[in-house]
């Protein structure tokens, strides 16, 4: 199997249906990457349990998890370390992750299996498509940690934090729900604040133009540690849906 095909599909032994993984080009670039044996095994074992697809159509989080709990949606969880840590630390909450890179999904499922986490589900799809399937006023927290900063000015239009995206999140967030962002690029932090402070229906928890201290529930990531080594700052921003 080529790397390209490997990033498209995972075949499950003994399963009549094979989960389909589709590409999309929005605010990200698909990176080819080989699956480790651990990731392959976790996908075979855990995708039927934790995997979700666009073909399932609109979802109701309470039906997905079998309970009506606090629901956290994380967009672009990378290799999944921090998301699994958060799910493990807050078993009373339910977590839905979205990631476009297959090795990241495999890593998340591997880590979740090792940690015995059951309050976690994941999509392997473009978040913009996933958001279309989430009902209004159904998510308590949306997390967007260290998205691609598209640091060249000509690429700023590809940054995911834009008005349309913010208003899509506003639709799915419950009243009082939180949109939590983090970045280690100061220019992107400034962009995030500029976009979000101007949005109807949100308030900046720290006051317009300001960031919040890193909350304890957000684990330190390798991106954050990398940024610290390079002398970069790390900024967290939290916005509350007010109407």
């Amino acid at each position: 199997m080529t790397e390209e095909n490997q990033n498209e599909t995972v075949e499950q032994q003994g399963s009549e249906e094979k989960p389909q993984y589709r590409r999309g080009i929005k605010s990200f670039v698909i990176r080819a990457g080989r699956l480790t044996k651990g990731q392959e095994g976790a996908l075979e074992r855990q995708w039927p349990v934790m995997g979700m697809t666009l073909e399932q159509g609109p979802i109701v989080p309470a039906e997905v998890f079998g309970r009506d709990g606090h629901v956290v949606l994380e967009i672009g969880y990378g290799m999944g370390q921090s998301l699994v840590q958060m799910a493990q630390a807050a078993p009373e909450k339910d977590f839905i992750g979205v990631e476009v890179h297959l090795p990241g999904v495999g890593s998340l499922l591997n880590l979740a299996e090792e940690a015995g986490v059951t309050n976690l589900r994941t999509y392997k799809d473009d978040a913009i498509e996933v958001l279309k399937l989430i009902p209004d006023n159904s998510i308590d927290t949306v997390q967007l940690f260290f998205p691609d900063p598209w640091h060249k000015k000509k690429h700023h239009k590809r940054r995911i934090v834009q008005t349309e995206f913010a208003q899509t999140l506003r639709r799915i967030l419950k009243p009082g729900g939180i949109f939590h962002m983090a970045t280690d690029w100061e220019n992107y932090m400034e962009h995030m604040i500029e976009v979000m402070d101007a949005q109807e229906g949100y308030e900046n928890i720290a006051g317009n133009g300001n960031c919040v201290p890193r909350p304890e529930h957000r684990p330190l990531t390798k991106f954050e540690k990398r940024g610290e080594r390079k002398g970069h700052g790390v900024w967290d921003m939290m916005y509350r849906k007010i109407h």
Side-chain angles (χ1 to χ4, degrees):
M1 182 180 289
T2 66
E3 280 190 11
E4 181 176 356
N5 288 336
Q6 201 168 37
N7 277 282
E8 293 290 341
T9 63
V10 165
E11 296 188 359
Q12 295 182 25
Q13 298 296 326
S15 174
E16 293 181 0
E17 294 186 2
K18 299 171 183 178
Q20 299 298 311
Y21 302 105
R22 295 182 289 183
R23 292 175 182 250
I25 300 177
K26 296 287 185 179
S27 60
F28 53 85
V29 172
I30 295 292
R31 298 186 301 272
R34 293 188 180 279
L35 292 169
T36 66
K37 291 295 184 182
Q39 291 165 2
E40 284 183 346
L43 281 159
E44 291 176 1
R45 294 185 302 272
Q46 293 300 317
W47 180 261
V49 179
M50 297 186 182
M52 299 180 69
T53 66
L54 298 178
E55 287 74 18
Q56 291 174 252
I59 66 165
V60 177
E63 294 178 358
V64 171
F65 293 98
R67 63 180 181 179
D68 189 11
H70 182 111
V71 182
V72 179
L73 174 70
E74 179 159 339
I75 296 171
Y77 56 72
M79 300 306 283
Q81 293 96 333
S82 66
L83 182 54
V84 169
Q85 288 179 45
M86 284 184 283
Q88 187 176 26
E92 75 283 1
K93 296 181 180 180
D94 295 317
F95 295 80
I96 300 174
V98 184
E99 178 56 55
V100 294
H101 300 109
L102 189 56
V105 177
S107 174
L108 175 92
L109 295 176
N110 195 27
L111 293 168
E113 184 178 48
E114 291 176 352
V117 166
T118 60
N119 57 331
L120 175 62
R121 301 291 185 272
T122 183
Y123 282 91
K124 194 313 190 169
D125 280 295
D126 179 355
I128 301 303
E129 298 303 315
V130 172
L131 291 172
K132 296 174 182 177
L133 305 178
I134 299 178
D136 295 359
N137 305 305
S138 64
I139 303 295
D140 294 275
T141 304
V142 175
Q143 299 178 164
L144 180 70
F145 298 154
F146 306 98
D148 193 323
W150 293 104
H151 56 277
K152 293 182 180 179
K153 190 170 183 179
K154 65 180 180 180
H155 291 153
H156 284 187
K157 62 186 178 183
R158 299 195 70 175
R159 289 174 167 178
I160 193 169
V161 179
Q162 308 287 354
T163 291
E164 183 178 1
F165 178 72
Q167 292 303 318
T168 298
L169 297 187
R170 180 184 165 208
R171 176 186 67 77
I172 68 170
L173 280 168
K174 295 178 181 178
I178 300 296
F179 177 29
H180 179 190
M181 298 169 285
T183 183
D184 59 351
W185 284 81
E186 186 172 13
N187 177 263
Y188 200 4
M189 174 271 290
E190 294 168 348
H191 169 89
M192 290 170 165
I193 288 179
E194 180 181 359
V195 170
M196 291 304 302
D197 279 358
Q199 295 306 308
E200 178 184 357
Y202 285 99
E203 67 175 359
N204 185 335
I205 289 177
N208 282 2
N210 296 318
C211 298
V212 298
R214 180 181 68 85
E216 291 185 2
H217 67 261
R218 181 175 73 74
L220 286 168
T221 69
K222 68 176 184 179
F223 296 101
E224 195 161 355
K225 294 172 183 175
R226 179 198 66 189
E228 288 176 349
R229 289 197 300 270
K230 293 183 177 181
H232 295 169
V234 175
W235 296 270
D236 284 76
M237 294 139 283
M238 300 178 77
Y239 287 79
R240 180 183 291 113
K241 175 181 172 177
I242 54 176
H243 63 79

